[in-house]
Amino acid sequence: MNLSSENEDLKNNKNELLKNLDKLHTTELGVKRIIKNLSLNSKDDLRNIDVVEYCKMKIRLPNASIERKGKNWYITIDGEIITVNANSYTIITAHKVK
């Protein structure tokens, strides 16, 4: 695969995720895990945060790096990595970049 093909694949993956953001969801445990991992509960302005909307907002940012590896998408933005299952659009987890 040449560089042009790789860039096209990356663009298609990003477009696929962005076109399906309305399908994005997570589980109750996922919400707790994401809040804990990103320390969202310690930020006063984010106390009652909707984790799914938070992730959607991050994914929509123009500088978000979206990469598909196997069955998951990995979105890196603002020092955070969000992991989304590519088939079910379930937000599996999010954590700070180490």
Side-chain angles (χ1 to χ4, degrees):
M1 184 182 293
N2 62 35
L3 186 57
S4 178
S5 296
E6 288 179 28
N7 286 339
E8 191 64 31
D9 286 346
L10 290 173
K11 184 178 173 184
N12 289 338
N13 281 336
K14 185 170 185 172
N15 286 337
E16 183 181 348
L17 179 58
L18 292 174
K19 284 191 289 190
N20 290 289
L21 277 183
D22 59 319
K23 297 179 183 177
L24 212 61
H25 65 281
T26 194
T27 63
E28 189 175 325
L29 286 175
V31 168
K32 291 177 182 177
R33 184 171 43 247
I34 293 163
I35 287 172
K36 177 180 171 259
N37 291 350
L38 297 181
S39 303
L40 296 178
N41 56 349
S42 66
K43 299 178 184 176
D44 290 336
D45 58 335
L46 297 175
R47 187 170 303 163
N48 296 315
I49 189 163
D50 180 330
V51 169
V52 174
E53 288 303 316
Y54 175 85
C55 290
K56 285 181 183 180
M57 181 266 306
K58 291 288 191 169
I59 292 168
R60 283 187 189 108
L61 291 173
N63 57 331
S65 170
I66 300 174
E67 183 177 7
R68 182 163 176 178
K69 292 182 185 174
K71 64 180 183 174
N72 294 329
W73 277 299
Y74 297 90
I75 303 91
T76 305
I77 181 72
D78 297 337
E80 300 172 352
I81 299 174
I82 303 166
T83 305
V84 176
N85 180 281
N87 296 316
S88 66
Y89 296 97
T90 303
I91 306 166
I92 300 166
T93 192
H95 61 273
K96 295 179 182 180
V97 176
K98 295 180 181 177

